[in-house]
Amino acid sequence: MEQFKDIYEKYYKKIYLFLLKMSGNPTLAEELTQDTLYKAFLHIEQYEGRSSIYTWLCGIAKNNWLNEICKQKHRTNLEISSEYPSGTDFEESVLDGQLRGLLRKEILSLPDPYMTVCSLRIYGELSYAEIASFFKKSESWAKVTFFRGKTMLMERMEKYK
């Protein structure tokens, strides 16, 4: 197994980007990334090698994000990033940010395993094989579960049109 320093250096940015896509908040993503890697360091002996290290780290990161959501339940809206892509219209950027926030909200409201599979596929950009190994299921199961979750998301997002 790689030394933890190598794991940290190799996966820090990928985990940060995963959490940034999930949260839309750079500061929160940074904090959750640090916490994810700290927890992984403390529990590295629990890594069984059934999935990639990145998949295992995404599972820890997702759980950290969900714990943060529970802590922030009293707030009505999670902070949406205030950074706008250069070269785009301000109004379009605001609407795009709002849609990303609504999509995050709808993903989090999906029943498990759809929420987890969609999060890992959309935000973590994991392959179906990696998702399948995370759940100890077949690749076909991962594809079908993602398709069903995506279908639920598309139906739920219709109400925002």
Side-chain angles (χ1 to χ4, degrees):
M1 175 172 287
E2 301 172 346
Q3 290 186 348
F4 196 79
K5 179 183 175 199
D6 295 335
I7 292 171
Y8 184 93
E9 290 172 358
K10 185 174 181 179
Y11 296 106
Y12 181 88
K13 186 174 182 179
K14 287 178 85 171
I15 296 300
Y16 170 77
L17 291 174
F18 171 70
L19 287 163
L20 180 61
K21 289 177 186 177
M22 287 185 78
S23 69
N25 181 327
T27 304
L28 180 59
E30 176 74 30
E31 290 173 18
L32 292 174
T33 301
Q34 293 291 335
D35 189 50
T36 296
L37 291 166
Y38 176 70
K39 286 178 180 175
F41 175 74
L42 291 177
H43 303 286
I44 193 72
E45 74 282 351
Q46 292 177 1
Y47 174 66
E48 298 173 352
R50 293 184 192 177
S51 62
S52 71
I53 296 246
Y54 177 62
T55 303
W56 182 66
L57 291 171
C58 282
I60 296 169
K62 178 203 61 109
N63 288 336
N64 282 344
W65 166 239
L66 292 176
N67 289 337
E68 184 64 27
I69 293 296
C70 289
K71 289 179 190 174
Q72 295 184 8
K73 245 184 181 170
H74 66 279
R75 296 181 188 170
T76 55
N77 290 318
L78 294 175
E79 181 181 331
I80 296 174
S81 175
S82 61
E83 295 183 26
Y84 303 105
S86 59
T88 60
D89 182 60
F90 176 76
E91 290 175 358
E92 288 177 18
S93 296
V94 170
L95 289 174
D96 187 47
Q98 288 174 340
L99 282 175
R100 280 194 310 271
L102 292 171
L103 179 62
R104 273 193 295 278
K105 176 184 166 197
E106 292 300 336
I107 288 173
L108 290 171
S109 71
L110 290 173
D112 251 342
Y114 304 107
M115 185 271 294
T116 301
V117 170
C118 288
S119 295
L120 292 174
R121 182 81 176 146
I122 294 168
Y123 298 127
E125 300 176 2
L126 270 66
S127 69
Y128 292 115
E130 291 172 312
I131 293 169
S133 70
F134 180 78
F135 281 95
K136 300 175 185 142
K137 303 274 188 177
S138 71
E139 193 170 333
S140 295
W141 176 89
K143 288 178 182 178
V144 168
T145 304
F146 177 71
F147 176 79
R148 289 177 180 163
K150 188 171 90 172
T151 302
M152 284 186 257
L153 283 173
M154 289 169 55
E155 290 170 0
R156 290 172 180 211
M157 292 302 289
E158 282 293 317
K159 67 184 173 189
Y160 299 113
K161 285 188 175 185

